Amino acid sequence: MNELEIIELCRQAILVILKLAGPLMLAGLIIGVAVAILQTTTQIQEQSLTFVPKLLTVFLVAIWLLPFMIATMSGFTHSLSDKIVQVGRQK
């Protein structure tokens, strides 16, 4: 396995991380901004008010995207194990 293959493998791993974490982080960001706007307009300064909606949203989005996340991780794991087998055959 040469340097280019290792760099490509790292690039694929980073893309998988972004595919898995991106939607959850984006949902938390959107809800956080919405709650912050609501707090600003109503002048409610309760710190714990921001955590509950974000927590629930991230939890619900994670459940909703679970099949996609499992398929993405499964595909990456299969490609990674194929590369490991190829490296084993070369030696």
Side-chain angles (χ1 to χ4, degrees), residues 30-66:
I30 291 169
I31 293 299
V33 168
V35 170
I37 290 172
L38 178 71
Q39 281 183 323
T40 302
T41 56
T42 60
Q43 296 182 353
I44 299 173
Q45 298 302 321
E46 181 63 34
Q47 295 295 324
S48 63
L49 183 64
T50 60
F51 293 112
V52 174
K54 279 197 266 185
L55 185 65
L56 289 175
T57 302
V58 169
F59 180 70
L60 291 174
V61 169
I63 289 175
W64 181 54
L65 292 177
L66 195 60

Side-chain angles (χ1 to χ4, degrees), residues 3 10-11 26-27 41 52-53 57-58 69 71 77 80 87 89:
E3 293 86 13
C10 290
R11 187 187 71 79
L26 187 62
T41 56
V52 174
T57 302
V58 169
M69 296 168 92
T77 304
L80 187 61
V87 169
R89 288 184 184 163

Side-chain angles (χ1 to χ4, degrees), residues 1 5 9 12 76-91:
M1 188 173 241
E5 291 174 340
L9 186 63
Q12 288 176 353
F76 179 71
T77 304
H78 285 295
S79 69
L80 187 61
S81 62
D82 289 342
K83 292 211 187 269
I84 290 171
V85 168
Q86 289 175 358
V87 169
R89 288 184 184 163
Q90 291 176 355
K91 290 187 177 192

